[in-house]
Amino acid sequence: MAIERTLAIIKPDAVASGSAGGVITMIEEAGFNIVAMKKAQLTAAQAEGFYHVHSARPFFRDLVDFMTSGPVVLMILEAEDAISRWRELMGPTDAAKAGPDTVRGRFGTNIERNASHGSDAPETAAFETAWFFNCFERV
Ligand code: GDP
């Protein structure tokens, strides 16, 4: 077990429905330390670069359109095993299949509009946290 940092995004659907506070409460109650946080309107270039691993997927254009459809909340979470623990708290990608005690189950709708993002490995966490936060924005 190691102290890790991971990128969390409250996606446009959850911000638009007024659920950002609910997601942040779940994060804090689960014991994560929020070491960086800001609200942002992503550009297409920022969303395309962030999701570059999915660029060949059929849903890529829809995903970029969704992620740029309104403001997001970007966070870096720190905890022991933060990467897997945040993905567990989010629930599965398809919000329709997520449990009621998960972020996606409570605040998401379907496989695309799923309320939240979390890094899936230490390498992606390093890339993703640096994509959105510089060294002066983390405590
Ligand atoms: P995650 O790690 O659970 O976020 O899932 P992925 O890395 O596989 O996918 C990234 C994001 O793309 C998901 O969180 C969804 O918002 C979206 N997505 C994944 N699969 C699909 C799909 O089949 N259709 C659509 N429209 N969007 C998808």
Tab-separated table of all heavy atoms in Angstrom, residues 11 51 53-54 57-60 62-63 66-67 87 90-94 104 110-120, ligand 1:
chain	number	residue	atom	x	y	z
A	11	LYS	N	-17.684	15.569	-14.153
A	11	LYS	CA	-17.942	15.835	-15.567
A	11	LYS	C	-19.100	16.831	-15.745
A	11	LYS	O	-19.851	17.105	-14.801
A	11	LYS	CB	-18.221	14.509	-16.279
A	11	LYS	CG	-16.989	13.594	-16.350
A	11	LYS	CD	-17.265	12.358	-17.186
A	11	LYS	CE	-16.033	11.487	-17.308
A	11	LYS	NZ	-16.278	10.281	-18.143
A	51	TYR	N	-7.887	12.682	-23.689
A	51	TYR	CA	-8.441	11.360	-24.050
A	51	TYR	C	-7.754	10.774	-25.294
A	51	TYR	O	-8.373	9.977	-25.999
A	51	TYR	CB	-9.948	11.473	-24.285
A	51	TYR	CG	-10.784	11.456	-23.018
A	51	TYR	CD1	-11.624	12.512	-22.699
A	51	TYR	CD2	-10.766	10.368	-22.141
A	51	TYR	CE1	-12.410	12.496	-21.544
A	51	TYR	CE2	-11.542	10.347	-20.985
A	51	TYR	CZ	-12.359	11.401	-20.692
A	51	TYR	OH	-13.138	11.371	-19.553
A	53	VAL	N	-5.792	8.433	-25.811
A	53	VAL	CA	-5.773	6.961	-25.926
A	53	VAL	C	-7.063	6.431	-26.560
A	53	VAL	O	-7.089	5.308	-27.053
A	53	VAL	CB	-5.563	6.242	-24.571
A	53	VAL	CG1	-4.179	6.491	-24.018
A	53	VAL	CG2	-6.635	6.625	-23.560
A	54	HIS	N	-8.121	7.233	-26.541
A	54	HIS	CA	-9.404	6.798	-27.104
A	54	HIS	C	-9.645	7.363	-28.508
A	54	HIS	O	-10.753	7.231	-29.040
A	54	HIS	CB	-10.560	7.236	-26.205
A	54	HIS	CG	-10.594	6.549	-24.874
A	54	HIS	ND1	-10.481	5.188	-24.733
A	54	HIS	CD2	-10.737	7.041	-23.618
A	54	HIS	CE1	-10.546	4.872	-23.448
A	54	HIS	NE2	-10.682	5.969	-22.750
A	57	ARG	N	-11.435	5.311	-31.083
A	57	ARG	CA	-12.702	4.672	-30.691
A	57	ARG	C	-13.887	5.368	-31.363
A	57	ARG	O	-13.846	6.582	-31.598
A	57	ARG	CB	-12.885	4.721	-29.165
A	57	ARG	CG	-11.704	4.172	-28.379
A	57	ARG	CD	-11.662	2.654	-28.380
A	57	ARG	NE	-12.562	2.091	-27.389
A	57	ARG	CZ	-12.272	1.958	-26.088
A	57	ARG	NH1	-11.102	2.365	-25.633
A	57	ARG	NH2	-13.128	1.415	-25.269
A	58	PRO	N	-14.958	4.615	-31.666
A	58	PRO	CA	-16.103	5.227	-32.360
A	58	PRO	C	-16.788	6.334	-31.561
A	58	PRO	O	-17.399	7.224	-32.137
A	58	PRO	CB	-17.063	4.047	-32.582
A	58	PRO	CG	-16.588	2.953	-31.675
A	58	PRO	CD	-15.127	3.175	-31.455
A	59	PHE	N	-16.638	6.294	-30.216
A	59	PHE	CA	-17.334	7.291	-29.400
A	59	PHE	C	-16.478	8.527	-29.106
A	59	PHE	O	-16.898	9.408	-28.351
A	59	PHE	CB	-17.812	6.660	-28.078
A	59	PHE	CG	-16.725	6.054	-27.225
A	59	PHE	CD1	-15.938	6.846	-26.392
A	59	PHE	CD2	-16.485	4.685	-27.254
A	59	PHE	CE1	-14.935	6.291	-25.599
A	59	PHE	CE2	-15.483	4.117	-26.469
A	59	PHE	CZ	-14.699	4.927	-25.635
A	60	PHE	N	-15.286	8.617	-29.725
A	60	PHE	CA	-14.344	9.683	-29.369
A	60	PHE	C	-14.938	11.083	-29.574
A	60	PHE	O	-14.842	11.944	-28.697
A	60	PHE	CB	-13.055	9.532	-30.178
A	60	PHE	CG	-11.996	10.552	-29.835
A	60	PHE	CD1	-11.399	10.578	-28.585
A	60	PHE	CD2	-11.595	11.495	-30.773
A	60	PHE	CE1	-10.419	11.518	-28.268
A	60	PHE	CE2	-10.616	12.432	-30.472
A	60	PHE	CZ	-10.028	12.439	-29.219
A	62	ASP	N	-18.096	12.038	-29.754
A	62	ASP	CA	-19.174	12.273	-28.781
A	62	ASP	C	-18.585	12.578	-27.404
A	62	ASP	O	-19.090	13.430	-26.679
A	62	ASP	CB	-20.083	11.041	-28.664
A	62	ASP	CG	-20.964	10.864	-29.881
A	62	ASP	OD1	-21.135	11.842	-30.637
A	62	ASP	OD2	-21.480	9.749	-30.081
A	63	LEU	N	-17.520	11.857	-27.036
A	63	LEU	CA	-16.898	12.050	-25.727
A	63	LEU	C	-16.315	13.464	-25.616
A	63	LEU	O	-16.505	14.150	-24.602
A	63	LEU	CB	-15.808	10.992	-25.512
A	63	LEU	CG	-14.984	11.087	-24.239
A	63	LEU	CD1	-15.857	11.010	-22.991
A	63	LEU	CD2	-13.919	9.968	-24.214
A	66	PHE	N	-19.122	15.936	-25.324
A	66	PHE	CA	-19.692	15.895	-23.966
A	66	PHE	C	-18.786	16.610	-22.973
A	66	PHE	O	-19.244	17.450	-22.184
A	66	PHE	CB	-19.902	14.430	-23.559
A	66	PHE	CG	-20.173	14.217	-22.097
A	66	PHE	CD1	-21.171	14.923	-21.435
A	66	PHE	CD2	-19.427	13.293	-21.361
A	66	PHE	CE1	-21.413	14.725	-20.077
A	66	PHE	CE2	-19.663	13.097	-20.015
A	66	PHE	CZ	-20.658	13.819	-19.362
A	67	MET	N	-17.502	16.339	-23.034
A	67	MET	CA	-16.577	16.904	-22.047
A	67	MET	C	-16.385	18.414	-22.201
A	67	MET	O	-15.901	19.078	-21.281
A	67	MET	CB	-15.228	16.187	-22.100
A	67	MET	CG	-15.281	14.741	-21.626
A	67	MET	SD	-15.842	14.553	-19.912
A	67	MET	CE	-14.455	15.246	-19.009
A	87	ARG	N	-11.570	4.852	-8.127
A	87	ARG	CA	-12.335	4.151	-9.174
A	87	ARG	C	-13.429	3.282	-8.554
A	87	ARG	O	-14.528	3.154	-9.100
A	87	ARG	CB	-11.405	3.331	-10.068
A	87	ARG	CG	-10.590	4.217	-11.010
A	87	ARG	CD	-9.744	3.428	-11.966
A	87	ARG	NE	-10.519	2.702	-12.956
A	87	ARG	CZ	-10.956	3.202	-14.107
A	87	ARG	NH1	-10.721	4.472	-14.415
A	87	ARG	NH2	-11.622	2.465	-14.959
A	90	MET	N	-16.214	5.598	-7.613
A	90	MET	CA	-16.958	6.050	-8.799
A	90	MET	C	-17.940	5.007	-9.275
A	90	MET	O	-19.013	5.333	-9.754
A	90	MET	CB	-15.994	6.349	-9.957
A	90	MET	CG	-15.182	7.597	-9.821
A	90	MET	SD	-14.534	8.115	-11.424
A	90	MET	CE	-13.605	6.681	-11.926
A	91	GLY	N	-17.541	3.723	-9.227
A	91	GLY	CA	-18.365	2.664	-9.797
A	91	GLY	C	-17.990	2.394	-11.246
A	91	GLY	O	-17.095	3.044	-11.791
A	92	PRO	N	-18.670	1.437	-11.909
A	92	PRO	CA	-18.315	1.063	-13.279
A	92	PRO	C	-18.597	2.177	-14.283
A	92	PRO	O	-19.387	3.087	-14.015
A	92	PRO	CB	-19.208	-0.153	-13.549
A	92	PRO	CG	-20.348	-0.026	-12.588
A	92	PRO	CD	-19.797	0.663	-11.380
A	93	THR	N	-17.943	2.075	-15.463
A	93	THR	CA	-18.085	3.103	-16.503
A	93	THR	C	-19.551	3.376	-16.831
A	93	THR	O	-19.965	4.527	-16.955
A	93	THR	CB	-17.331	2.658	-17.781
A	93	THR	OG1	-15.980	2.355	-17.426
A	93	THR	CG2	-17.346	3.742	-18.827
A	94	ASP	N	-20.340	2.320	-16.983
A	94	ASP	CA	-21.754	2.478	-17.336
A	94	ASP	C	-22.554	2.829	-16.078
A	94	ASP	O	-22.824	1.968	-15.239
A	94	ASP	CB	-22.284	1.199	-17.979
A	94	ASP	CG	-23.690	1.380	-18.524
A	94	ASP	OD1	-24.317	2.425	-18.240
A	94	ASP	OD2	-24.153	0.470	-19.242
A	104	ARG	N	-21.106	7.344	-9.733
A	104	ARG	CA	-21.793	7.201	-11.018
A	104	ARG	C	-23.229	6.706	-10.836
A	104	ARG	O	-24.138	7.104	-11.566
A	104	ARG	CB	-20.978	6.270	-11.923
A	104	ARG	CG	-19.718	6.969	-12.450
A	104	ARG	CD	-18.727	6.051	-13.100
A	104	ARG	NE	-17.762	6.804	-13.907
A	104	ARG	CZ	-16.675	6.278	-14.458
A	104	ARG	NH1	-16.389	4.990	-14.274
A	104	ARG	NH2	-15.865	7.018	-15.177
A	110	ASN	N	-25.674	7.217	-17.962
A	110	ASN	CA	-25.421	6.088	-18.873
A	110	ASN	C	-23.914	5.905	-19.070
A	110	ASN	O	-23.119	6.444	-18.297
A	110	ASN	CB	-26.165	6.300	-20.201
A	110	ASN	CG	-25.805	7.641	-20.853
A	110	ASN	OD1	-24.665	8.106	-20.742
A	110	ASN	ND2	-26.754	8.257	-21.516
A	111	ILE	N	-23.525	5.174	-20.126
A	111	ILE	CA	-22.097	4.842	-20.299
A	111	ILE	C	-21.269	6.078	-20.655
A	111	ILE	O	-20.059	6.110	-20.394
A	111	ILE	CB	-21.920	3.718	-21.348
A	111	ILE	CG1	-20.533	3.095	-21.221
A	111	ILE	CG2	-22.170	4.216	-22.758
A	111	ILE	CD1	-20.379	1.747	-21.896
A	112	GLU	N	-21.878	7.081	-21.242
A	112	GLU	CA	-21.135	8.309	-21.571
A	112	GLU	C	-21.286	9.368	-20.479
A	112	GLU	O	-20.295	9.893	-19.961
A	112	GLU	CB	-21.631	8.893	-22.895
A	112	GLU	CG	-20.930	10.206	-23.246
A	112	GLU	CD	-21.453	10.807	-24.521
A	112	GLU	OE1	-22.435	11.590	-24.445
A	112	GLU	OE2	-20.907	10.501	-25.585
A	113	ARG	N	-22.508	9.647	-20.114
A	113	ARG	CA	-22.792	10.698	-19.110
A	113	ARG	C	-22.726	10.044	-17.732
A	113	ARG	O	-23.751	9.718	-17.125
A	113	ARG	CB	-24.159	11.330	-19.392
A	113	ARG	CG	-24.231	11.957	-20.783
A	113	ARG	CD	-25.606	12.464	-21.117
A	113	ARG	NE	-26.018	13.563	-20.260
A	113	ARG	CZ	-25.669	14.831	-20.431
A	113	ARG	NH1	-24.883	15.171	-21.443
A	113	ARG	NH2	-26.095	15.756	-19.611
A	114	ASN	N	-21.485	9.874	-17.267
A	114	ASN	CA	-21.273	9.073	-16.056
A	114	ASN	C	-20.651	9.871	-14.900
A	114	ASN	O	-20.059	9.294	-13.993
A	114	ASN	CB	-20.457	7.819	-16.385
A	114	ASN	CG	-19.120	8.157	-17.002
A	114	ASN	OD1	-18.733	9.322	-17.056
A	114	ASN	ND2	-18.395	7.149	-17.443
A	115	ALA	N	-20.812	11.172	-14.941
A	115	ALA	CA	-20.585	12.053	-13.780
A	115	ALA	C	-19.141	12.257	-13.342
A	115	ALA	O	-18.828	13.277	-12.725
A	115	ALA	CB	-21.407	11.585	-12.564
A	116	SER	N	-18.256	11.310	-13.620
A	116	SER	CA	-16.913	11.441	-13.045
A	116	SER	C	-15.860	10.677	-13.851
A	116	SER	O	-16.177	9.737	-14.587
A	116	SER	CB	-16.897	10.932	-11.603
A	116	SER	OG	-17.307	9.591	-11.565
A	117	HIS	N	-14.637	11.107	-13.665
A	117	HIS	CA	-13.459	10.442	-14.255
A	117	HIS	C	-12.451	10.138	-13.158
A	117	HIS	O	-12.319	10.914	-12.203
A	117	HIS	CB	-12.788	11.346	-15.296
A	117	HIS	CG	-11.437	10.837	-15.713
A	117	HIS	ND1	-11.266	9.909	-16.718
A	117	HIS	CD2	-10.191	11.082	-15.209
A	117	HIS	CE1	-9.975	9.613	-16.821
A	117	HIS	NE2	-9.299	10.316	-15.925
A	118	GLY	N	-11.714	9.045	-13.319
A	118	GLY	CA	-10.597	8.746	-12.438
A	118	GLY	C	-9.482	8.071	-13.206
A	118	GLY	O	-9.737	7.228	-14.078
A	119	SER	N	-8.243	8.429	-12.904
A	119	SER	CA	-7.090	7.782	-13.553
A	119	SER	C	-7.127	6.281	-13.272
A	119	SER	O	-7.642	5.837	-12.244
A	119	SER	CB	-5.785	8.361	-13.003
A	119	SER	OG	-5.799	9.768	-13.002
A	120	ASP	N	-6.549	5.484	-14.214
A	120	ASP	CA	-6.638	4.030	-14.046
A	120	ASP	C	-5.322	3.342	-13.689
A	120	ASP	O	-5.289	2.124	-13.520
A	120	ASP	CB	-7.278	3.375	-15.278
A	120	ASP	CG	-6.456	3.560	-16.537
A	120	ASP	OD1	-5.352	4.163	-16.465
A	120	ASP	OD2	-6.898	3.099	-17.608
B	1	GDP	P1	-13.528	4.988	-17.508
B	1	GDP	O1	-12.057	4.739	-17.218
B	1	GDP	O2	-14.437	4.206	-16.595
B	1	GDP	O3	-13.881	6.457	-17.526
B	1	GDP	O4	-13.855	4.416	-18.971
B	1	GDP	P2	-13.048	4.486	-20.363
B	1	GDP	O5	-11.630	4.944	-20.155
B	1	GDP	O6	-13.270	3.185	-21.053
B	1	GDP	O7	-13.830	5.586	-21.214
B	1	GDP	C1	-13.611	6.969	-21.025
B	1	GDP	C2	-14.944	7.674	-21.075
B	1	GDP	O8	-15.499	7.561	-22.382
B	1	GDP	C3	-16.034	7.080	-20.160
B	1	GDP	O9	-15.930	7.516	-18.816
B	1	GDP	C4	-17.298	7.557	-20.829
B	1	GDP	O10	-17.611	8.925	-20.515
B	1	GDP	C5	-16.929	7.448	-22.309
B	1	GDP	N1	-17.301	6.144	-22.894
B	1	GDP	C6	-16.770	4.922	-22.629
B	1	GDP	N2	-17.350	3.951	-23.373
B	1	GDP	C7	-18.267	4.586	-24.137
B	1	GDP	C8	-19.196	4.119	-25.133
B	1	GDP	O11	-19.271	2.933	-25.461
B	1	GDP	N3	-19.987	5.085	-25.717
B	1	GDP	C9	-19.910	6.417	-25.384
B	1	GDP	N4	-20.733	7.287	-26.007
B	1	GDP	N5	-19.042	6.872	-24.458
B	1	GDP	C10	-18.246	5.981	-23.835
